[in-house]
Amino acid sequence: MAGQRSLTQLQRWMQEVITNPDGIVAGVESSTARQKIDIDGTRIEEVIGRSTRLGSAERLAVYGNAYFARLIECLGDEFPATRFALGEETFQTFALGYFEQSPSTSYSLGFLGARFPQYLIDGRPADIPKPGWPDFLIDLATLERAYAEVFDGLGPEKLTPLQPEALQAIPIELISEVRFVPAPSLRLLEASFAVHEYFTAVRQSQSPEIPAPQETLLVITRRDYVVRRGIVSRPEFELLRAILDGNSLGAAIEIAAEEQPEGTNDDFAANLSRWFHHWASAGWFLNVELPNS
Amino acid sequence: MSEARLGLPDLGFGVGLRTVHYQHILRHQPDVDWFEIISENYMDSGGRPRHVLEQIAEQYPVVMHGVSLSIGSTDPLNFEYLEKLKTLAAWTSAAWVSDHVCWTGVNGLNGHDLLPLPCNEDTLKHVVDRIRIVQDFLERPLVLENPSTYVTFTDSTMSEWEFVTRMAEESDCGLLLDVNNVYVSCFNHDLDPIEFIRSLPHERIVQFHLAGHTHCGTHIIDTHDNFVTDRVWELYRLAHRLTGGVSTLLEWDAQIPDFDVVHGEVLKARDLIHDNSELAPGTLSSESTQLSGTSASSSGQAARPATVPQPAVFVAAEVE
Ligand SMILES: [Fe+2]
């Protein structure tokens, strides 16, 4: 057919039109769409046929309406507590802004929310003192994204966890050189609010209020394909963080001990063996390695 | 190519595997003939979805159904995606791999929708070339489904059935005939669904899809949130007669009821093809039936707005 448009031209035009948040006519009349097919909103029928019941713009609107609605729904499934905290309408506004800035570029919906916590961080109002409600939302979204990644990422289920004897087998003079090998799902999360409790309350269909700030140090992992989370003290958290950063046990202890209040280093030493036992029984680590083993 | 269904087996009456049914299936091992999985939900999984699929693939035949191949897009094919698809097909021993005659985005974007193509010579050549590349890469035939569509292009020069027929013959691929999609698209485009189904190359049809839809008066949206309607059952019976019978699968993706309800719906297809009597109006459709034990909300899924067509399948995390 003479004057037929190329498939590239049609697809680029249609994508511009149906992803315009202001609707089909605004999409058709946007400069980006007119670079592909130069028509105004009265001439859509030149590209898209009408049916006996619907005009061309109304037919395109089926795709346009579905585009953001589908993505927002999927994002809401990934961030149920953040959605609850914001309320449906505000969540939609945030999601819309997020997708305008970070549209999906993956074949999988599993990556849809990957940049959502960062989007909230970037948009944090600077004039609200920390920790305030924006930090609550950021912490909550960070937690929900971590849960999603831990749930469907690599896990420890088919691996052997660290046995308490493994540590005992290390010669005492080498113990400070030991490196812990974490389970692939192990994550640390530092929050200014008890967002894990808020999340659980939403999941249990309660209607929690936004809580007061409370330093919250979380260890997130997975066991039997279900995400688990635990709360740890600041020294234990710092020790875990230093270990996950790749430090040897000796170096990690030095880093973590700095977080101990003055004169309590004896308690720290006493706690170490209790922590190691807990880490082993909780399956947070797979093994201990010496530098040249 | 003359062998029916490309030589692929008739697996019987299957159900689309959905997360809300995982526990039921593992616990009760229902007597369902086969499962169809959404490929993209398992390609990158290292968690429970993959673990469940491993167990199901040991016990049931599995077919892979994708939503992101984007065979009609003018963007380059994504070979990283194809590699993952091939790996998944190998370890699930997938009976075949399917996707849709559509595009999902350009300029690197994925709108997660099944967008329509203009049916003309240029598109046909483009799609046929890409099917050949994908089939070579996967080392197996591709099976492609007619999507539900909501617009037509003035640049189309042939009917969708002519396009699909020539596409299948020139690329030597298989077809997944979604009977509900035929009904939806034909209503939306003022076409005759019987002519559509009669005009297809029946020996190339490997599989049927059945699903429910939402009638909006002026148009129909393919929502997969309800029972199959009487008109679609009638078309199914026609398609069955013309093909001699092929693997049949029910899709239910929103307001998902208990597994037995979904399984019962596809078993109506079995009863229907064994019963040669005329279809009395209202005998099959159960649209007024109360959905008992809807499991969607218990998984944390929000109710899908009734105007959002398929696909949108997100796997929600389970947290203790
Ligand atoms: Fe389908």
Side-chain angles (χ1 to χ4, degrees):
Chain A
M1 185 205 276
Q4 198 181 73
R5 299 159 195 95
S6 75
L7 187 57
T8 311
Q9 196 186 356
L10 265 180
Q11 289 182 339
R12 290 187 177 182
W13 176 82
M14 184 166 170
Q15 182 166 286
E16 288 295 341
V17 171
I18 64 175
T19 61
N20 191 305
D22 298 321
I24 296 303
V25 172
V28 169
E29 295 187 344
S30 68
S31 59
T32 39
R34 292 192 83 145
Q35 280 164 23
K36 279 94 190 175
I37 298 179
D38 190 14
I39 53 169
D40 65 23
T42 63
R43 295 171 57 198
I44 304 174
E45 273 184 41
E46 292 174 28
V47 184
I48 301 293
R50 55 172 302 131
S51 75
T52 52
R53 302 170 205 88
L54 285 182
S56 308
E58 294 166 304
R59 301 179 87 198
L60 275 170
V62 175
Y63 291 105
N65 295 338
Y67 174 69
F68 285 111
R70 174 186 291 110
L71 296 181
I72 290 169
E73 183 203 343
C74 290
L75 195 73
D77 284 348
E78 184 173 339
F79 296 92
T82 310
R83 178 176 61 196
F84 180 83
L86 284 167
E88 204 57 51
E89 217 170 295
T90 314
F91 178 77
Q92 288 193 15
T93 308
F94 273 84
L96 204 65
Y98 172 58
F99 290 125
E100 280 189 74
Q101 192 186 92
S102 286
S104 175
T105 54
S106 171
Y107 52 84
S108 167
L109 286 166
F111 304 107
L112 197 65
R115 296 181 298 264
F116 189 53
Q118 189 60 47
Y119 173 78
L120 296 178
I121 292 168
D122 295 343
R124 189 194 184 284
D127 55 336
I128 295 173
K130 288 187 180 181
W133 63 265
D135 307 296
F136 171 75
L137 292 173
I138 289 165
D139 286 352
L140 188 57
T142 304
L143 177 82
E144 292 194 289
R145 181 62 199 172
Y147 281 172
E149 289 178 2
V150 169
F151 176 69
D152 210 22
L154 292 176
E157 287 83 2
K158 289 179 178 160
L159 303 167
T160 313
L162 175 67
Q163 304 300 307
E165 307 82 63
L167 205 57
Q168 286 153 16
I170 306 277
I172 194 79
E173 67 275 16
L174 293 177
I175 201 101
S176 71
E177 288 176 46
V178 148
R179 279 171 210 275
F180 281 73
V181 180
S185 52
L186 187 67
R187 296 281 196 96
L188 301 178
L189 200 153
E190 181 170 359
S192 307
F193 295 83
V195 282
H196 61 301
E197 288 172 0
Y198 186 90
F199 174 90
T200 303
V202 172
R203 269 291 157 96
Q204 291 170 349
S205 303
Q206 298 165 16
S207 298
E209 298 286 324
I210 293 183
Q214 178 190 338
E215 183 185 82
T216 302
L217 304 170
L218 285 159
V219 179
I220 301 166
T221 187
R222 198 174 82 197
R223 203 166 210 185
D224 298 329
Y225 299 100
V226 175
V227 178
R228 323 272 163 152
R229 82 290 193 282
I231 291 286
V232 293
S233 66
R234 173 62 73 181
E236 186 178 1
F237 188 84
E238 294 302 337
L239 182 60
L240 284 164
R241 176 142 68 187
I243 287 171
L244 290 187
D245 283 346
N247 291 291
S248 68
L249 182 58
I253 287 174
E254 258 179 54
I255 294 166
E258 287 170 20
E259 297 292 323
Q260 282 288 98
E262 282 295 315
T264 56
N265 274 351
D266 288 351
D267 295 346
F268 187 75
N271 278 330
L272 274 176
S273 78
R274 189 170 56 80
W275 292 340
F276 292 158
H277 266 93
H278 178 234
W279 298 355
S281 67
W284 291 354
F285 291 92
L286 300 178
N287 212 344
V288 283
E289 284 175 353
L290 283 169
N292 44 6
S293 69
Chain B
M1 210 295 310
S2 55
E3 203 177 357
R5 303 185 305 259
L6 308 180
L8 294 166
D10 179 354
L11 298 175
F13 301 88
V15 168
L17 181 64
R18 302 296 180 257
T19 52
V20 289
H21 295 144
Y22 281 173
Q23 264 200 337
H24 177 92
I25 295 164
L26 294 179
R27 193 172 297 162
H28 301 284
Q29 296 173 1
D31 188 19
V32 58
D33 292 342
W34 60 287
F35 284 104
E36 183 186 75
I37 62 162
I38 303 294
S39 313
E40 289 81 0
N41 286 353
Y42 299 91
M43 292 173 34
D44 295 293
S45 175
R48 184 150 185 263
R50 187 184 183 96
H51 176 61
V52 170
L53 180 57
E54 278 169 355
Q55 297 167 74
I56 286 175
E58 271 176 24
Q59 297 174 50
Y60 299 93
V62 165
V63 164
M64 277 165 50
H65 186 51
V67 293
S68 292
L69 173 63
S70 202
I71 196 74
S73 174
T74 46
D75 269 8
L77 283 164
N78 181 345
F79 283 93
E80 183 203 342
Y81 168 85
L82 289 173
E83 187 67 55
K84 289 179 178 177
L85 202 64
K86 192 175 183 178
T87 305
L88 184 64
W91 79 255
T92 58
S93 305
W96 57 86
V97 174
S98 67
D99 206 290
H100 302 81
V101 185
C102 74
W103 60 289
T104 62
V106 283
N107 292 335
L109 254 65
N110 187 352
H112 299 282
D113 203 345
L114 309 172
L115 300 169
L117 290 162
C119 297
N120 57 41
E121 297 294 337
D122 285 355
T123 310
L124 184 64
K125 181 177 181 321
H126 177 71
V127 171
V128 166
D129 286 349
R130 282 163 64 102
I131 295 172
R132 289 196 183 120
I133 294 169
V134 171
Q135 293 185 143
D136 282 350
F137 186 87
L138 297 178
E139 298 177 283
R140 55 163 80 219
L142 198 53
V143 176
L144 289 174
E145 170 179 353
N146 58 298
S148 281
T149 57
Y150 310 98
V151 298
T152 47
F153 297 92
T154 56
D155 281 343
S156 287
T157 55
M158 64 182 95
S159 64
E160 185 180 342
W161 53 83
E162 184 186 344
F163 183 90
V164 165
T165 301
R166 288 182 54 193
M167 174 197 83
E169 281 167 0
E170 289 173 31
S171 68
D172 204 14
C173 76
L175 293 175
L176 194 173
L177 175 59
D178 188 315
V179 182
N180 178 60
N181 289 354
V182 169
Y183 183 74
V184 169
S185 293
C186 286
F187 182 87
N188 291 342
H189 309 323
D190 307 304
L191 297 168
D192 178 6
I194 293 173
E195 185 184 3
F196 191 125
I197 290 174
R198 281 191 195 283
S199 308
L200 294 170
H202 303 121
E203 73 289 353
R204 286 192 176 272
I205 297 175
V206 173
Q207 182 189 335
F208 294 137
H209 265 172
L210 290 164
H213 58 239
T214 299
H215 207 305
C216 304
T218 51
H219 59 291
I220 300 179
I221 295 186
D222 179 34
T223 44
H224 297 188
D225 62 350
N226 215 324
F227 295 94
V228 179
T229 65
D230 281 353
R231 289 286 291 130
V232 172
W233 282 122
E234 282 172 33
L235 294 172
Y236 173 75
R237 193 148 70 169
L238 171 69
H240 173 81
R241 196 157 46 75
L242 293 170
T243 57
V246 304
S247 306
T248 298
L249 186 117
L250 185 89
E251 301 180 286
W252 204 315
D253 291 288
Q255 330 288 349
I256 305 174
D258 287 347
F259 184 83
D260 292 338
V261 177
V262 178
H263 190 203
E265 188 66 3
V266 77
L267 293 181
K268 287 181 190 169
R270 188 183 61 189
D271 298 344
L272 183 69
I273 59 182
H274 290 145
D275 168 19
N276 289 319
S277 63
E278 278 306 300
L279 198 63
T283 46
L284 282 160
S285 181
S286 321
E287 278 156 301
S288 58
T289 308
Q290 274 283 320
L291 295 186
S292 58
T294 298
S295 39
S297 57
S298 64
S299 73
Q301 286 182 12
R304 184 187 308 274
T307 51
V308 178
Q310 275 306 300
V313 182
F314 178 79
V315 181
E318 290 161 68
V319 182
E320 191 187 65

